[in-house]
Amino acid sequence: MDQKQLPKTNNPLVVRTDFENQQAWKTVCKLIRAPVPAPGDTFYAYVQFLEDVAFRGLGTEELLARVPSDYNHSFLFVVDSTAINHPEFPILVIDLRGVDGRNFRAIPRAIQAIENNLSISNMDFSEFAVAVDEDGIFRGLPAPQG
């Protein structure tokens, strides 16, 4: 039996793998969709939410096996049980190009910066991965020194 593949989408996917708490999922989606103000502009995360029980409980390796070879994006966002059960909802961000499976976690309000910059190749996955806090969660890039 073939395993269901992730769909090809115009925008990067936010894949739901934990279906235990509908309210937490709705909160995560709302936080990701929220506009992020910046000096002189407002930014949005351009993502597509995937809520399909075919992906319930899948881990990184299993999800990687379901990424089509011609998938348009270099990363994947995953709302798993860790994200759902943590007070900050840290979403798993998985690298699909450089080092398949390399990952870090990011709070929902940081998803916009990650998506915007990785989608246009303005930054590399590693630039976000090295900017995580001591607990392994990315909460934003450090302010420029100067």
Side-chain angles (χ1 to χ4, degrees):
M1 182 170 124
D2 287 335
Q3 295 178 334
K4 185 171 188 173
Q5 295 286 292
L6 292 169
K8 290 181 259 180
T9 56
N10 290 330
N11 294 315
L13 284 172
V14 176
V15 181
R16 181 180 187 184
T17 64
D18 183 287
F19 289 81
E20 300 306 312
N21 186 333
Q22 183 65 18
Q23 188 56 49
W25 166 250
K26 286 181 180 182
T27 299
V28 169
C29 293
K30 181 180 177 182
L31 291 169
I32 291 172
R33 286 187 187 109
V36 177
D41 211 343
T42 301
F43 295 96
Y44 298 88
Y46 297 99
V47 297
Q48 183 169 330
F49 296 93
L50 179 62
E51 188 174 6
D52 185 332
V53 294
F55 302 103
R56 177 191 303 266
L58 297 185
T60 301
E61 294 304 316
E62 295 160 310
L63 286 167
L64 288 172
R66 295 182 184 212
V67 175
S69 59
D70 57 349
Y71 187 67
N72 300 348
H73 314 286
S74 64
F75 56 95
L76 186 65
F77 297 120
V78 182
V79 179
D80 58 5
S81 62
T82 300
I84 291 295
N85 293 303
H86 189 284
E88 289 185 284
F89 306 115
I91 297 157
L92 185 64
V93 185
I94 304 173
D95 187 4
L96 300 178
R97 297 289 190 271
V99 179
D100 276 354
R102 176 174 54 167
N103 62 71
F104 63 91
R105 291 192 175 272
I107 60 172
R109 72 176 160 77
I111 296 302
Q112 168 275 317
I114 297 166
E115 181 278 319
N116 289 185
N117 283 290
L118 292 181
S119 289
I120 63 169
S121 300
N122 187 51
M123 294 177 71
D124 293 326
F125 190 93
S126 61
E127 291 178 83
F128 290 102
V130 300
V132 298
D133 291 336
E134 287 183 12
D135 59 1
I137 299 173
F138 178 81
R139 292 179 176 86
L141 292 168
Q145 301 297 315

